[in-house]
Amino acid sequence: MFIDYSNERSLRYEMEQIASLTLTDSVQALVRARNLHDYVSAAGSEDKPQYSRELAEETEELYADTLRLVEENFYTAVSDGDWTDASRFYRSLAVFQRAPPDWNERRIAENRIAQWRTEGNTTLAELSSVRPSTPEDEAPAQDVISSLISATVTVWVDRGLSIQRGIGYANHVIGSGFFIDRRGYLVTNYHVISSEVDPDYEGYSRLYIRLAENPDARIPARVVGWDPVFDLALLKTEITPPEIFQLGSSADLRVGTRIYAIGSPAGLDQTITSGIVSAQDRRLLSLGGVLQIDAPINHGNSGGPIIDEAGRVQAVVFAGIESFEGLNFAIPVELLKLILPQLYAGGLVSHPWLGAYGKTFAPPADPESAGVSVVYCVPGLSLSQAGVPEDAVITAVNGIRVQTLEDFQQCLLMEYPGTVVRLSGYTEENGSRSPQEWYAALFARPEKPGAVILERDMQSRAFLPMFGLNLQRIGSRRQYTVNAVIRGSIGDESGFSQNDVVEIREFLPDVQNGVLLVQVQAKRRKSGYMESFIAMASSLDSPSYF
């Protein structure tokens, strides 16, 4: 599963792979060269062979070459005004204490903001200067409400005709959106406009918006950037909006805070409803928590703004549960602000990941050892390349303490794919704890991480992240014993225990719908070892992937 450094031949093969990577991905080459260098430097211990001095010098030189290459790429990005890449290269060098001395994060950020101002993008330039909401704010005045309604639009996606039993029906999607930029940019939900950008969609799709002041006019719009993970999208029209919304800061938002929702429920534009924040940090997205609100939300509200009493956007409506009145959810504005630069850059937004599955590890008797337990590593991706063993516990990212999986995810969200991170933690063997540090490069997170597991690993191994069952093969090719069960997993809820016997009968991935279906024949202790058939289903995405 990990890169094999066990003999000189495999080590030299890895050196050739790193040399090839320098032509396409200097950051990946850097982190692999550093891991190789560290391995050879530690050679001669009980479990590592001794290498020649010549080979040790070659790996040290390779590491130095990749450092120089990344530094050159940093200055090239600076020269080109590509501040995203400049930040990515700078942070990767900083992890190895090789950051260019004449630069720092603040200087890079200031240049990025200056570039946005030059381009006329005041929305991005002013993201960090937003005044947070305060308890002293009063309900928006009538003239404020009127202007905000005029900055809210109905998003209309015409999907042609839907044929049912030989009869054609008009097929359209209605949502809401709101202007954030006087150049005609507006925000909505990804799921409202998904047919415009989904490569698997093969039907007719045309995107329009309707203004509150002229609901009969359909104004063409196009999708600039989209993010299926956070369910957000940035659209562009060629009109000057009558008003724009100011993005707020939910740092001081609390349960019980009064909020207002503006949108087009059932296509009825200029609708405003009110309520409160019912709960925070509900884990309904793969990354990040969302707000639970009790403001009335219906079909058509999706993508509309949630504002505070000062009239600033605090969230974006994205979901409601029809059978539970008042149980609705919104994406916090902080998540929108986090990805807004990528949305403006255009195309699909990429989030970082390390190619692993884990859980919060929080022993009550030892809070200092709390962190993220690495349950599973995808073969050939970041953590496996870095040599992080399964059952290791990660306690810090780039020196920032993490005690929960949510902390860990938040740290990763602040980084770019293609950046190196330093992970601190420990491994434990025979009751002895050993502090560790690993260097790993962040990959772009796939929309369905589970699909990558199914491509790269064996079916029996996939049972660990998918169903929480650690299987070990016995007897026949498809028969296994359960070594361990992750508490709270699908396997745990299905009544499996350690030492149960499982035979895989059907293994049915449905990547398009994002699920894995399996049928197993099992002998479970909790059922008196009586033989039974069990069907289980698992999503190919989960907040536990990182």
Side-chain angles (χ1 to χ4, degrees), residues 298-309:
N298 294 282
H299 288 294
N301 271 113
S302 292
I306 297 292
I307 62 171
D308 61 17
E309 296 198 319

Side-chain angles (χ1 to χ4, degrees), residues 80-81 279 369 411 472 489:
D80 294 342
S369 66
C411 282
Q472 180 178 355
S489 66

Side-chain angles (χ1 to χ4, degrees), residues 109-126:
E110 288 173 348
N111 276 273
R112 186 201 299 258
I113 291 172
Q115 184 182 67
W116 286 333
R117 289 196 186 281
T118 300
E119 295 170 349
N121 196 332
T122 56
T123 302
L124 291 182
E126 296 173 359

Side-chain angles (χ1 to χ4, degrees), residues 204-276:
Y204 176 87
S205 181
R206 292 294 182 272
L207 172 62
Y208 306 93
I209 66 165
R210 295 192 321 218
L211 298 178
E213 62 187 21
N214 187 6
D216 293 329
R218 291 188 183 183
I219 301 170
R222 61 182 174 86
V223 183
V224 176
W226 62 95
D227 184 347
V229 174
F230 285 163
D231 195 16
L232 292 169
L234 184 69
L235 312 183
K236 175 73 165 68
T237 68
E238 300 308 317
I239 65 169
T240 300
E243 295 288 343
I244 63 171
F245 278 87
Q246 298 298 316
L247 301 182
S249 171
S250 55
D252 294 328
L253 210 61
R254 297 289 182 268
V255 172
T257 299
R258 171 68 63 179
I259 49 91
Y260 302 84
I262 306 176
S264 304
L268 301 173
D269 49 23
Q270 304 186 49
T271 299
I272 181 168
T273 57
S274 67
I276 61 169

Side-chain angles (χ1 to χ4, degrees), residues 12 35 66 102 105 123 140 176 194 326 335 338 368 377 387 391 416 425 437 476 503:
R12 288 195 176 279
N35 289 333
T66 56
D102 52 336
E105 289 274 14
T123 302
S176 300
S194 61
L335 296 182
L338 178 68
E368 292 300 315
C377 295
D391 293 332
Y416 299 108
E437 277 197 347
S476 71
E503 182 177 344

Side-chain angles (χ1 to χ4, degrees), residues 141-312:
Q142 185 59 44
D143 59 334
V144 173
I145 290 292
S146 177
S147 67
L148 294 180
I149 286 177
S150 68
T152 308
V153 304
T154 301
V155 179
W156 180 286
V157 182
D158 183 357
R159 294 186 179 179
L161 292 178
S162 175
I163 307 300
Q164 299 178 17
R165 298 182 179 179
I167 301 174
Y169 297 90
N171 181 11
H172 55 261
V173 178
I174 297 178
S176 300
F178 56 98
F179 286 107
I180 60 168
D181 189 319
R182 296 198 180 278
R183 297 174 299 170
Y185 290 91
L186 64 144
V187 172
T188 188
N189 282 148
Y190 164 77
H191 76 259
V192 173
I193 54 83
S194 61
S195 59
E196 291 285 297
V197 295
D198 184 354
D200 294 328
Y201 182 79
E202 298 177 347
Y204 176 87
S205 181
R206 292 294 182 272
L207 172 62
Y208 306 93
I209 66 165
R210 295 192 321 218
L211 298 178
E213 62 187 21
N214 187 6
D216 293 329
R218 291 188 183 183
I219 301 170
R222 61 182 174 86
V223 183
V224 176
W226 62 95
D227 184 347
V229 174
F230 285 163
D231 195 16
L232 292 169
L234 184 69
L235 312 183
K236 175 73 165 68
T237 68
E238 300 308 317
I239 65 169
T240 300
E243 295 288 343
I244 63 171
F245 278 87
Q246 298 298 316
L247 301 182
S249 171
S250 55
D252 294 328
L253 210 61
R254 297 289 182 268
V255 172
T257 299
R258 171 68 63 179
I259 49 91
Y260 302 84
I262 306 176
S264 304
L268 301 173
D269 49 23
Q270 304 186 49
T271 299
I272 181 168
T273 57
S274 67
I276 61 169
V277 176
S278 303
Q280 294 176 293
D281 202 27
R282 296 295 195 200
R283 300 291 290 183
L284 297 186
L285 300 176
S286 302
L287 301 172
V290 301
L291 300 180
Q292 180 181 327
I293 59 176
D294 76 339
I297 298 296
N298 294 282
H299 288 294
N301 271 113
S302 292
I306 297 292
I307 62 171
D308 61 17
E309 296 198 319
R312 293 183 293 266

Side-chain angles (χ1 to χ4, degrees), residues 513-533:
N513 292 310
V515 295
L516 170 65
L517 307 172
V518 299
Q519 292 182 3
V520 299
Q521 186 173 337
K523 295 180 180 178
R524 296 172 296 171
R525 176 177 59 83
K526 293 179 181 178
S527 299
Y529 292 105
M530 293 183 61
E531 195 167 74
S532 58
F533 285 92

